[in-house]
Amino acid sequence: MTTAKTTAQTPQDNKEAIRSRALEMGFDAVGFTAPDLSPRVKQDFAAFLKQGLYGDMGWMAEADKVTRRGNPAMLLDGAQTMIVLGMNYGQEADPLAGLSDRESGTISIYARSRDYHLVMKKRLKAFARWLCETYSEDARVYVDTAPLLEKPLAAQTPVGWQGK
């Protein structure tokens, strides 16, 4: 790891270096997006909250968190890019195994192993340390732990998609 800021490179060079390092560290997908959400995403989220569709997750409707969810750049002052990382943490299991046995249930892959929050966060923290040391920038790491609409952000990259 280096501690000095890298020599002047193009944004594309930086993205490729970041992508390469993330893949080396065991992430399976890497995407980049601006820390913005479309007006449509914000409108859909407001409608979701207005209809009370968040169930017992009342914290979603807290005013300060609603504002931050709609404005990802607020999570880190001056943020220009969100790096979205994906990781298959269920590689040891076949997700379709057992489906033909109609007498028993099947447990989702993510629920069969260690908590994905812990698995991902450890690797994300190591990646963020490298990122900060290499580029002399700040980074924040989140795995479902911030007022952030991460699915729409991921959908702005090749990493994610969001169904209905």
Side-chain angles (χ1 to χ4, degrees):
M1 289 189 207
T2 62
T3 54
K5 194 165 187 158
T6 58
T7 58
Q9 295 182 351
T10 68
Q12 191 59 38
D13 290 338
N14 290 337
K15 284 181 179 180
E16 289 310 313
I18 291 167
R19 180 184 321 281
S20 178
R21 181 63 178 177
L23 295 173
E24 286 172 14
M25 294 182 78
F27 292 100
D28 298 306
V30 183
F32 303 89
T33 188
D36 311 319
L37 292 169
S38 72
R40 174 66 189 254
V41 167
K42 292 177 187 182
Q43 290 167 358
D44 288 350
F45 183 58
F48 170 86
L49 293 174
K50 187 175 181 179
Q51 293 173 43
L53 297 175
Y54 46 84
D56 61 357
M57 298 183 294
W59 45 265
M60 288 191 89
E62 293 173 11
D64 65 322
K65 292 184 177 139
V66 169
T67 300
R68 289 170 52 196
R69 276 184 213 293
N71 298 288
M74 291 178 73
L75 295 171
L76 180 60
D77 190 35
Q80 296 179 18
T81 303
M82 305 290 281
I83 302 172
V84 179
L85 300 169
M87 185 175 85
N88 179 356
Y89 48 86
Q91 295 173 351
E92 71 283 347
D94 177 0
L96 302 178
L99 288 181
S100 62
D101 180 0
R102 299 287 189 200
E103 301 300 317
S104 54
T106 301
I107 298 173
S108 178
I109 291 292
Y110 84 88
R112 295 183 197 181
S113 300
R114 290 187 58 218
D115 183 334
Y116 76 91
H117 297 89
L118 302 175
V119 173
M120 294 278 303
K121 193 157 210 170
K122 182 177 180 180
R123 197 166 295 176
L124 283 169
K125 284 184 176 184
F127 176 76
R129 276 192 303 276
W130 171 83
L131 191 68
C132 292
E133 291 171 359
T134 303
Y135 294 97
S136 299
E137 298 290 344
D138 290 329
R140 298 288 184 275
V141 171
Y142 302 109
V143 183
D144 299 338
T145 57
L148 179 66
L149 295 174
E150 62 275 312
K151 287 182 183 179
L153 277 172
Q156 294 175 178
T157 76
V159 173
W161 64 273
Q162 187 168 2
K164 64 177 181 169

